[in-house]
Amino acid sequence: MDKIRNEQIRGTVKVEQFGDKAREARLRWFGRVLRRNRGYIGQRMLEMELPGRRRRGRPQRRFMDVVKVDMEMVGVKVEEAVDRARWRQMIHCDFQLLQVTVRDALNQAMDEELERDERVFLLGEEVAQYDGAYKVSRGLWKKYGDKRIIDTPISEMGFAGIAVGAAMAGLRPICEFMTFNFSMQAIDQVINSAAKTCYMSAGLQAVPIVFRGPNGASAGVAAQHSQCFAAWYGHCPGLKVVSPWNSEDARGLLKSAIRDDNPVVVLENELMYGVAFEVSEQGLSKDFTIPIGKAKVERPGNHVTLVSHSRMVGHCLDAAAVLAKEGIECEVINLRTIRPLDVETIEASVVKTNHLITVEGGWPQFGVGAEICARIMEGPAFNYLDAPVIRVTGVDIPMPYAKILEDNSTPQIKDIIFSVKKTLNM
Amino acid sequence: MLIACSAIYCLKNVRSADVISIVFNLLLCTHPFKKCELHRLDQGPPTQALLTREQGLKYYRTMQTMRRMELKADQLYKQKIIRGFCHLYDGQEACAVGIEAGINPSDHLITAYRAHGYTYTRGVSVKEILAELTGRRGGVAKGKGGSMHMYAKHFYGGNGIVGAQVPLGAGLALACQYKGNNEVCVTLYGDGAANQGQIFESFNMAALWKLPCIFICENNKYGMGTSVERASASTDYFKRGDFIPGLKVDGMDVLTVREATKFAADYCRSGKGPILMELETYRYHGHSMSDPGVSYRTREEIQEVRSKSDPISMLKDRMISNNMASLEEIKEIDVEIRKEIEEAAQFATSDPEPPLEELCNHIFYNEPPMEVRGTNPWSKLKSIS
C-alpha cells in the first residue's frame, strides 16, 4: 500500500490546512464586524449574554472564546482590526512549503530514475523485500519487482563486482552498501574495477555505476560501524564523490549521480534520514538535478567562512545562528561534492571574509579539511587569509560506545563556536 | 542405576540418609537423540549421552541466566538505556552452553555480533555484560566497546563485520598449532555470513595447513530479513566446507551440541585438520532490537518453536521426568537467577559512565603516553595505553 503523507498532497496542489482556512475566515468576519458602525447587530451578538439559567456541565464555548484563541495563535490584538488591509495580511494563512525527509527524497529520486531509464536497477542487502535496512528503498520492490530491485546475500565483494560488471555491459546499477563500513570488504571493486577502468582503457570502457549508503557516525553503533569514508574515496582519481546534507541535496545529487556516466559514490548519513526539510517546487520536479562539483552557500556572511559537508552543515548553521546574536556573521558553505572539490566557491568566500574553518565528522589526518587547507594555501586566496585555516574534525580515535564518550568524539556546535572566536581573536 | 547400587553396596558404613542423597546425586540419565547428518565422515558423534544431575542443573542454570539476561537487555533497550545495536541470543542458548561443555576453558572461541551468550559462557559476569551494554565504566570493555565488542580470556569477541571473524578464528587455530599446546579454536558464524568469500578462503587454508579449527555455522534460518533459501544456492551449510568434513546437529538440544562439540574437538586435536558443524537453531527476537522480526516470518512459526523446541523447557522436562530434579528446585533456581539479573541491571543502570579522561586511552598497546588531536587544533588530549 502506497503511503503518501497529507502534507505532500496539500503541498503539491497548494492547498492550506482546513483548520487554518477556517480560522482565517473567522478572523476575517470578526474584523469586518468590528469595523462596522456602533450598534450593528453583529457587535451586539459578540457580547450578548444568553438569558436564563445556565445548564449543568461545562460552559458553552461561544464565538468570542474561539476567536480569542485564534487571535493568540496568529498574534493579533482586537485594536488592530481597524486597519483592514493590515488585518487581512496578518490573518492570512499560506500553504506550507512541502516538507520532505531525506529518506523520502532519496526514495523518490530512485523511484523517478528507475521509471525514467530501463537500464537503472538497485541491488544490495535487504533492499527489496525488507524495504531497505533503513527503509530508503521502501515500496520500490513492490513497484518494480525482482528484476529491478535485487536482494543480495551478504557478499559485498561479490555483489559490488557483479554491479560493476553489469555497468560495464551497459546497465546503470545502483549498488547499496548497508553502511559504507561494509564497503571496505568491496573497496577493491570500487577503486580498481570501477574508478580506474575508463582511464586504463583510454576511454573505451565506461562504468556508469552509483555506490550509495549511509556514511560516518550514527548513534551508539561503536567503532566498526562509525567510520567516515569521505577522505578515502575522495582520494581516488576516476571516482566522483558526493555528500548530500538536506533533502534537496539528496534528491538532486542522487539523480545526477545516476545520470552520470562515471562511478559516483554517494555518502548519505543515517542520522539525517528522518530529518524533514522544505523542498521548493523546482526541487520536486522529475528532472531536478544538482551539478556534481558545485558547492552551495547556505548562509551568506562577512566575518568567517565555515565549510562543511553532510550532517555537519546543520551544525555550522546552528553555530552561525548563535554567533549572529553576538554580531558575528558566518558564511556557511555546503560542499555537496567531495570530489571534484569546488575550491572556487571557497576561495571567493575567503577573499570576502579572510577567515576559514572547515568542519567534518571524519578523522583529521589526511581528511577533507586537510585537503581544503592545502588547496587554499596553493591558490590565490592564501594572501587574503588573516589567520591560519582551522580544521574542526572528529577526535583521532576509534569511535567509543558510551554516550558521553561518543558525544565528545565528534564536533559539537560549541566546538565550532569556540574555533570561530579563536580565529577571530575573541 | 546398576552402577549406583553396586557402589552403595560397597559402602557398608554409610548411614541411610546419606545413601539416599548419594543415590540421588549419582543419578545418571542416558539420552538418545537423532543421528547427525554427516559429510565426508564415516562415523559421527555418539547417539547417546550421559548427563549427571550436577551437569543438568549447571546447564539449566546457565541457559536460564542467558535467557533472562537477554530479556533484561530487551527491556533496557526499550527504555532507551541501551542504545545502538543490540542483537539478542534468546532461543539459541543450547548452542553456547553445549559448545562450552564440549571444550576446555583453555580452548579459544570467537563469534560474530550475537555475542552476549558466549561472553557469559566464556566467563564474564552478567553484571559486566549489562554494564557494557549500558555503556558504563563497570562494563567488560569499560563502556567503549558496546554490544558487539566484548572480550575475555580466550574469547575474542564480539565482531561487527559479518564473516570477518572466520579468518580470525582460523588464525587463532594457526597459533594453537604453532605453539603445539593441543588447544582448538571454535569459530562461529551464521547462515547469512556463510556466503562471505573470506569464509571459503579460511576453509581452504585451514584444510591445507590442517589447522585445529572447529568452524560452526549457527543456522537460525534468517540472515537479518532474508531466509536461507533466498540467500544461499545450497542450504546444506555443513557441506559447504566441501573438502572439510562436516556434520549437522540439532542446535536446540544442549546434550546433542555437547557431544558433537566433543567429537569435533577430538577430531581437531588428533591433527586431522579442521571440521565444520552446522547447528540448527532459532532466534526468538528479530535480527536486532530495531527489527520487529515478523515481516519475514510468521508469529505462528516463532510460537511453534517456543512451544515445541525451546532448549530450556526441553532440558527442564527431561530432568523432571527422569527424577533428576524436582519442580520446586527448578523454581528456586529461577528465583535466584531473577534476583541475580535484577541486581546486575541495577548495577548497570546506576554505575557512572566512563570518565572523559578515558576517551583517548587504549589506542595502542604497550606504548608510551602520547598526544591525540581533539575536535579542534587547540584541543590536545592525553592517551595512555
Side-chain angles (χ1 to χ4, degrees):
Chain A
M1 190 173 47
D2 247 343
K3 282 198 181 141
I4 307 177
R5 300 187 78 93
N6 287 338
E7 299 92 62
Q8 257 176 287
I9 300 174
R10 258 186 248 120
T12 315
V13 298
K14 297 199 189 36
V15 163
E16 304 84 339
Q17 270 195 302
F18 178 72
D20 293 348
K21 241 345 200 183
R23 185 186 63 227
E24 190 191 325
R26 274 195 300 272
L27 288 170
R28 199 165 47 229
W29 189 85
F30 180 60
R32 196 178 295 144
V33 164
L34 289 177
R35 283 189 294 273
R36 291 290 289 262
N37 298 329
R38 284 210 65 70
Y40 173 57
I41 187 167
Q43 287 180 2
R44 282 189 284 154
M45 299 293 284
L46 285 179
E47 287 128 38
M48 191 172 90
E49 285 289 342
L50 288 169
R53 232 177 109 97
R54 198 183 61 138
R55 279 208 312 257
R56 274 182 73 184
R58 176 167 65 89
Q60 297 226 312
R61 258 165 49 109
R62 295 158 298 179
F63 183 75
M64 273 313 293
D65 298 323
V66 179
V67 161
K68 277 208 181 85
V69 172
D70 286 339
M71 288 197 292
E72 223 178 85
M73 239 164 73
V74 171
V76 289
K77 296 196 190 49
V78 183
E79 303 82 50
E80 289 167 348
V82 176
D83 183 349
R84 179 176 179 270
R86 180 152 166 74
W87 180 257
R88 288 199 63 155
Q89 187 191 52
M90 289 186 77
I91 62 171
H92 183 63
C93 71
D94 222 334
F95 69 90
Q96 281 176 326
L97 223 52
L98 185 53
Q99 294 259 328
V100 181
T101 60
V102 173
R103 177 183 288 115
D104 288 340
L106 293 164
N107 185 282
Q108 286 161 16
M110 283 199 285
D111 193 351
E112 288 161 15
E113 294 304 301
L114 282 159
E115 198 173 329
R116 175 180 176 271
D117 189 341
E118 260 288 302
R119 300 167 299 171
V120 176
F121 70 98
L122 172 67
L123 91 168
E125 292 157 12
E126 311 292 351
V127 294
Q129 295 188 21
Y130 197 77
D131 271 339
Y134 298 101
K135 307 296 180 223
V136 177
S137 53
R138 175 170 35 207
L140 294 180
W141 175 69
K142 239 185 213 131
K143 189 168 171 187
Y144 294 101
D146 283 330
K147 181 175 157 192
R148 313 282 301 282
I149 314 290
I150 305 175
D151 264 342
T152 63
I154 308 178
S155 313
E156 281 80 4
M157 179 78 117
F159 71 68
I162 285 176
V164 174
M168 288 179 177
L171 295 181
R172 303 188 78 94
I174 306 171
C175 176
E176 176 178 303
F177 290 120
M178 199 182 279
T179 74
F180 266 96
N181 300 284
F182 312 143
S183 74
M184 281 202 282
Q185 301 263 311
I187 202 165
D188 174 73
Q189 298 288 7
V190 178
I191 307 299
N192 277 331
S193 302
K196 298 180 185 171
T197 296
C198 184
Y199 182 87
M200 293 189 294
S201 65
L204 277 177
Q205 178 67 67
V207 186
I209 189 170
V210 172
F211 297 101
R212 52 159 290 272
N215 174 58
S218 180
V221 295
Q224 290 180 337
H225 288 77
S226 306
Q227 193 170 330
C228 175
F229 288 86
W232 285 34
Y233 289 116
H235 187 60
C236 302
L239 265 190
K240 296 191 184 181
V241 181
V242 299
S243 183
W245 166 57
N246 62 13
S247 306
E248 204 165 290
D249 288 353
R251 256 184 81 80
L253 288 173
L254 184 53
K255 275 174 169 298
S256 296
I258 295 170
R259 295 182 191 195
D260 200 307
D261 291 329
N262 294 289
V264 184
V265 170
V266 181
L267 302 170
E268 302 158 8
N269 188 295
E270 200 240 312
L271 294 173
M272 297 303 293
Y273 281 154
V275 182
F277 293 91
E278 271 178 14
V279 180
S280 62
E281 190 176 335
Q282 185 208 19
L284 291 170
S285 112
K286 287 204 169 150
D287 282 318
F288 172 71
T289 57
I290 289 179
I292 296 181
K294 204 83 191 66
K296 179 178 179 209
V297 178
E298 295 285 348
R299 179 190 194 280
N302 294 321
H303 299 129
V304 60
T305 303
L306 300 174
V307 180
S308 186
H309 72 99
S310 190
R311 185 155 179 268
M312 292 293 144
V313 175
H315 282 34
C316 288
L317 288 169
D318 290 341
V322 173
L323 288 163
K325 296 201 184 107
E326 298 181 46
I328 304 172
E329 293 299 327
C330 305
E331 179 146 296
V332 178
I333 299 181
N334 174 5
L335 277 176
R336 285 181 161 177
T337 306
I338 306 288
R339 187 179 182 109
L341 201 57
D342 183 0
V343 194
E344 283 85 42
T345 305
I346 306 176
E347 282 174 337
S349 179
V350 169
V351 164
K352 187 169 67 159
T353 66
N354 311 121
H355 298 85
L356 178 58
I357 298 181
T358 68
V359 184
E360 67 195 290
W363 293 319
Q365 197 153 330
F366 306 104
V368 174
E371 176 65 17
I372 293 174
C373 286
R375 296 276 201 102
I376 293 294
M377 185 211 62
E378 289 170 350
F382 174 70
N383 294 308
Y384 289 83
L385 282 174
D386 285 348
V389 180
I390 308 296
R391 296 178 296 159
V392 176
T393 67
V395 178
D396 200 13
I397 51 170
M399 183 66 72
Y401 167 69
K403 185 164 200 318
I404 191 175
L405 297 181
E406 190 184 45
D407 288 345
N408 282 284
S409 302
T410 45
Q412 300 179 37
I413 295 167
K414 64 174 166 74
D415 295 315
I416 305 173
I417 295 174
F418 175 78
S419 303
V420 167
K421 289 189 173 170
K422 269 289 231 196
T423 194
L424 293 176
N425 270 321
M426 299 172 75
Chain B
M1 208 53 207
L2 261 162
I3 309 163
C5 292
S6 46
I8 305 303
Y9 186 69
C10 300
L11 303 165
K12 293 201 193 97
N13 292 324
V14 176
R15 291 183 319 212
S16 55
D18 291 339
V19 169
I20 295 169
S21 74
I22 289 171
V23 167
F24 205 47
N25 281 319
L26 277 177
L27 219 50
L28 303 169
C29 152
T30 60
H31 159 63
F33 41 76
K34 60 181 186 194
K35 236 173 107 90
C36 303
E37 271 184 71
L38 301 173
H39 170 70
R40 285 186 194 266
L41 279 169
D42 297 319
Q43 227 191 337
T47 46
Q48 289 210 330
L50 288 178
L51 174 72
T52 67
R53 184 183 125 85
E54 195 188 318
Q55 285 171 343
L57 288 174
K58 183 169 115 179
Y59 302 156
Y60 179 83
R61 185 181 278 271
T62 314
M63 289 203 288
Q64 186 71 294
T65 307
M66 278 161 60
R67 173 70 59 92
R68 296 243 64 90
M69 178 177 76
E70 295 296 74
L71 292 178
K72 179 55 71 176
D74 171 282
Q75 199 183 23
L76 290 172
Y77 194 93
K78 287 179 177 145
Q79 294 173 315
K80 297 201 194 316
I81 301 173
I82 297 178
R83 40 196 281 279
F85 291 138
C86 190
H87 307 89
L88 297 178
Y89 197 66
D90 53 320
Q92 300 184 214
E93 292 86 359
C95 298
V97 174
I99 290 170
E100 190 61 33
I103 56 173
N104 305 324
S106 57
D107 289 322
H108 308 263
L109 191 141
I110 188 171
T111 183
Y113 46 77
R114 205 174 296 281
H116 307 159
Y118 289 100
T119 316
Y120 181 66
T121 54
R122 283 264 102 187
V124 180
S125 68
V126 178
K127 211 167 79 159
E128 280 183 297
I129 296 174
L130 287 180
E132 184 60 34
L133 289 175
T134 55
R136 308 300 164 100
R137 62 179 76 182
V140 60
K142 299 195 167 77
K144 295 164 99 165
S147 163
M148 299 179 290
H149 309 294
M150 302 193 204
Y151 300 82
K153 190 151 196 283
H154 292 225
F155 173 60
Y156 303 85
N159 291 279
I161 306 299
V162 172
Q165 75 277 11
V166 178
L168 296 180
L172 293 164
L174 177 77
C176 295
Q177 189 189 60
Y178 195 100
K179 293 185 191 175
N181 50 23
N182 205 31
E183 288 164 8
V184 295
C185 178
V186 176
T187 305
L188 293 133
Y189 60 96
D191 48 283
N195 297 315
Q196 275 279 315
Q198 50 193 326
I199 293 190
F200 296 95
E201 293 182 11
S202 312
F203 287 166
N204 182 45
M205 285 183 272
L208 203 55
W209 300 330
K210 294 212 178 354
L211 302 180
C213 189
I214 308 173
F215 295 105
I216 301 187
C217 177
E218 281 181 290
N219 178 1
N220 59 19
K221 301 187 178 53
Y222 299 95
M224 193 160 158
T226 310
S227 63
V228 292
E229 304 83 40
R230 290 208 306 125
S232 305
S234 158
T235 54
D236 289 325
Y237 294 103
F238 69 107
K239 289 188 187 162
R240 299 262 232 130
D242 190 13
F243 33 77
I244 297 183
L247 60 154
K248 183 154 128 165
V249 174
D250 175 12
M252 301 305 258
D253 181 349
V254 65
L255 285 180
T256 321
V257 177
R258 184 188 77 182
E259 290 310 308
T261 310
K262 273 198 190 138
F263 172 82
D266 290 338
Y267 182 94
C268 285
R269 278 189 237 275
S270 66
K272 296 197 190 109
I275 190 169
L276 176 55
M277 221 159 84
E278 179 186 339
L279 295 178
E280 283 193 285
T281 182
Y282 200 82
R283 55 166 163 81
Y284 296 146
H285 269 85
H287 163 75
S288 70
M289 285 305 297
S290 36
D291 171 32
V294 287
S295 60
Y296 47 86
R297 55 184 188 173
T298 60
R299 282 187 213 273
E300 289 78 44
E301 183 187 284
I302 306 171
Q303 234 349 82
E304 192 176 333
V305 177
R306 235 190 240 278
S307 53
K308 297 220 181 89
S309 330
D310 182 79
I312 300 176
S313 310
M314 290 207 307
L315 180 64
K316 181 173 94 178
D317 292 341
R318 183 174 304 134
M319 286 187 67
I320 291 176
S321 61
N322 279 293
N323 287 318
M324 293 181 77
S326 61
L327 193 56
E328 294 74 43
E329 234 183 330
I330 302 274
K331 283 214 168 88
E332 232 178 76
I333 295 178
D334 284 350
V335 168
E336 275 169 35
I337 292 172
R338 229 175 258 269
K339 185 157 161 285
E340 186 191 335
I341 303 291
E342 267 316 308
E343 278 169 16
Q346 198 31 49
F347 173 74
T349 45
S350 59
D351 198 36
E353 282 190 289
L356 276 179
E357 293 76 53
E358 270 289 322
L359 186 67
C360 299
N361 291 345
H362 312 297
I363 297 178
F364 286 121
Y365 190 76
N366 238 356
E367 274 283 291
M370 59 184 204
E371 215 169 61
V372 170
R373 189 197 202 268
T375 54
N376 59 65
W378 300 278
S379 168
K380 297 189 204 309
L381 307 168
K382 269 209 113 211
S383 167
I384 50 175
S385 42

